[in-house]
């Protein structure tokens, strides 16, 4: 197995950046206002994907800004501890790390964000390192970073331009959060961006919002106008791969017990990109993404359930893990 240090000594295969936030949760399924103790972790779509790729044996780099505070230092150490290169991440002395609080009551999950004026929201294009991005195979981005602030939007668009100029593939998960921007704003920004994307990884509900239609036929017509390989997540029983006018349904892996669905989409992205990096066809890459997503939802946490490469192989081979 590749060592932690050897992984960090080489250029990342995938570069991503965005906001990672501290996460506070009640102990057990109860409301925040009734909980006497909180568990502390962190989460962020882009850092989740980077951790997922690292656990699957790939070199991943996460670029972001955190506050130079206890939360920020803890998060940076944790991401680095997962084998992700954080050499282009920074701690800001003039802005705090954002945080979120999540509660689960009667099976319903609610998330409360405290990210206004966070260090991540102050990212600017000058924080990007073109040399770092251009040596990667893939630049992975999400709509969350675009929605944080006008300067974050400028930074994402600048990163895409750097990637396209240098032949780096662009992977984009819209991850639309209506607490951050309106549907109209998301539509205005995301639809033009899709012309520059190589891998588009939306959920079906996000496509309905972007294209303002419930018709799958109409949505597929719009998607076929793009040059991107599109993977539609969030179907009832299957993921849809849209590639060169062909639609391929790929069934989910069934699991006996769903513990926590948070992070499943990020796990899928990590598995899908891992498959592409390994030279798999898009169909087989989607199958791997589905498997990683299925493994994630059996564990509580945003990123804690992301599987190691050996666990995925064992699962695929039908082997049982025996704790010794």
């Amino acid at each position: 197995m590749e060592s932690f240090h050897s992984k960090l000594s080489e250029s990342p295969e995938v570069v991503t950046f965005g906001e990672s936030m501290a996460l506070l949760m009640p102990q057990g399924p109860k409301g925040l206002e009734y909980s006497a103790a909180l568990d502390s972790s962190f989460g962020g779509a882009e850092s989740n994907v980077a951790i997922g790729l690292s656990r699957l044996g790939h070199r991943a780099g996460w670029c972001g800004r955190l506050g130079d505070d206890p939360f920020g230092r803890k998060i940076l150490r944790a991401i680095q501890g997962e084998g992700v290169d954080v050499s282009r991440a920074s701690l800001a002395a003039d802005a705090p790390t954002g945080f979120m609080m999540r509660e689960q009551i009667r099976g319903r999950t609610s998330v409360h964000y405290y990210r206004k004026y966070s260090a991540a929201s102050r990212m600017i294009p000058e924080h990007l390192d073109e040399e770092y991005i251009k040596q990667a195979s893939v630049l992975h981005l999400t709509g969350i970073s675009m929605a944080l602030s006008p300067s974050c939007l400028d930074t994402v668009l600048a990163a895409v331009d750097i990637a396209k100029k240098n032949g780096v593939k662009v992977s984009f998960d819209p991850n639309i959060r209506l607490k951050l921007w309106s549907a109209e704003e998301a539509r205005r920004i995301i639809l033009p961006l899709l012309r520059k994307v190589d891998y588009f990884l939306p959920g079906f509900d996000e496509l309905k919002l972007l294209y303002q239609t419930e018709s799958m036929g109409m949505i597929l017509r719009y998607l076929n106008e793009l040059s991107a390989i599109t993977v539609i997540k969030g179907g009832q029983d299957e993921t849809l791969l849209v590639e060169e006018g062909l639609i391929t349904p790929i069934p989910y892996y069934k699991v006996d017990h769903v513990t926590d669905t948070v992070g499943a989409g990020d796990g899928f992205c990590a598995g899908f990109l891992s498959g592409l990096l390994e030279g798999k066809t898009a169909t087989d890459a989607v199958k791997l993404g589905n498997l990683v997503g299925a493994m994630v939802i059996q564990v509580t946490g945003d990123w804690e359930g992301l599987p190691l490469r050996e666990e995925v192989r064992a699962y695929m081979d039908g082997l049982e893990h025996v704790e010794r």
Side-chain angles (χ1 to χ4, degrees):
M1 182 177 178
E2 188 176 29
S3 73
F4 169 82
H5 291 293
S6 67
K7 220 193 272 188
L8 295 191
S9 66
E10 301 177 47
S11 299
E13 298 167 271
V14 177
V15 169
T16 187
F17 68 88
E19 180 168 41
S20 291
M21 295 183 291
L23 170 62
L24 301 176
M25 301 173 292
Q27 295 178 350
K30 63 179 73 173
L32 285 161
E33 60 190 294
Y34 304 112
S35 181
L38 300 175
D39 287 331
S40 172
S41 183
F42 71 93
E46 299 85 0
S47 57
N48 291 349
V49 172
I51 291 171
L53 283 163
S54 179
R55 288 189 177 184
L56 292 172
H58 299 283
R59 302 185 307 278
W62 178 77
C63 315
R65 284 173 60 80
L66 298 157
D68 190 3
D69 50 39
F71 280 144
R73 293 189 291 271
K74 176 181 178 179
I75 293 170
L76 194 61
R77 284 197 302 270
I79 296 174
Q80 184 179 35
E82 288 292 331
V84 176
D85 180 48
V86 295
S87 62
R88 301 310 189 273
S90 60
L91 297 172
D94 60 346
T97 302
F99 75 96
M100 54 183 165
M101 304 182 79
R102 191 164 74 224
E103 59 187 347
Q104 188 175 60
I105 307 173
R106 300 181 185 91
R108 182 181 177 87
T109 299
S110 297
V111 183
H112 310 274
Y113 295 104
Y114 302 86
R115 69 201 320 170
K116 195 171 184 179
Y117 307 122
S118 68
S121 72
R122 300 188 183 192
M123 285 188 292
I124 57 175
E126 287 73 19
H127 291 142
L128 298 172
D129 182 341
E130 180 168 353
E131 292 298 316
Y132 188 72
I133 294 173
K134 79 178 190 181
Q135 49 70 49
S137 297
V138 179
L139 172 70
H140 178 73
L141 301 165
T142 80
I144 295 174
S145 298
M146 303 172 74
L148 291 177
S149 69
S151 69
C152 282
L153 172 58
D154 291 343
T155 305
V156 170
L157 297 180
V160 171
D161 287 343
I162 289 171
K164 301 309 292 183
K165 183 174 71 173
N166 291 284
V168 177
K169 300 289 188 183
V170 176
S171 166
F172 180 69
D173 182 345
N175 248 327
I176 296 174
R177 299 289 186 267
L178 294 180
K179 289 185 177 182
L180 291 176
W181 57 358
S182 67
E184 292 74 19
E185 288 175 302
R187 222 173 274 128
R188 178 175 58 84
I189 299 300
I190 290 176
L191 290 178
L193 175 69
L194 297 182
R195 300 290 174 183
K196 300 181 179 181
V197 166
D198 297 283
Y199 309 116
F200 180 35
L201 309 172
F204 185 45
D205 288 341
E206 291 172 322
L207 290 174
K208 291 191 290 186
L209 184 149
L210 286 172
Y211 291 117
Q212 302 181 74
T213 179
E214 296 280 330
S215 167
M216 191 61 176
M218 286 294 296
I219 288 172
L220 292 172
R221 282 176 55 189
Y222 287 123
L223 293 178
N224 283 328
E225 295 174 0
L226 304 176
S227 60
I229 292 174
T230 300
V231 181
I232 305 175
K233 304 171 291 179
Q236 187 168 357
D237 298 304
E238 60 196 12
T239 302
L240 293 181
L241 170 64
V242 184
E243 183 181 18
E244 297 180 348
L246 298 176
I247 303 164
T248 305
I250 302 171
Y252 293 144
Y253 286 85
K254 303 297 183 181
V255 299
D256 294 329
H257 183 64
V258 177
T259 301
D260 186 357
T261 59
V262 175
D266 300 331
F268 173 87
C269 290
F272 174 71
L273 292 176
S274 173
L276 295 178
L277 291 170
E278 292 172 4
K280 296 181 186 293
T281 64
T283 298
D284 286 340
V286 171
K287 289 179 181 178
L288 180 56
N290 281 350
L291 176 56
V292 173
M295 296 177 79
V296 166
I297 63 177
Q298 298 178 68
V299 180
T300 300
D302 282 43
W303 55 272
E304 287 86 345
L306 291 162
L308 296 169
R309 188 184 190 95
E310 292 76 13
E311 293 175 307
V312 172
R313 284 176 175 166
Y315 200 110
M316 294 179 75
D317 292 340
L319 301 175
E320 290 187 4
H321 173 68
V322 180
E323 197 72 37
R324 298 192 185 278

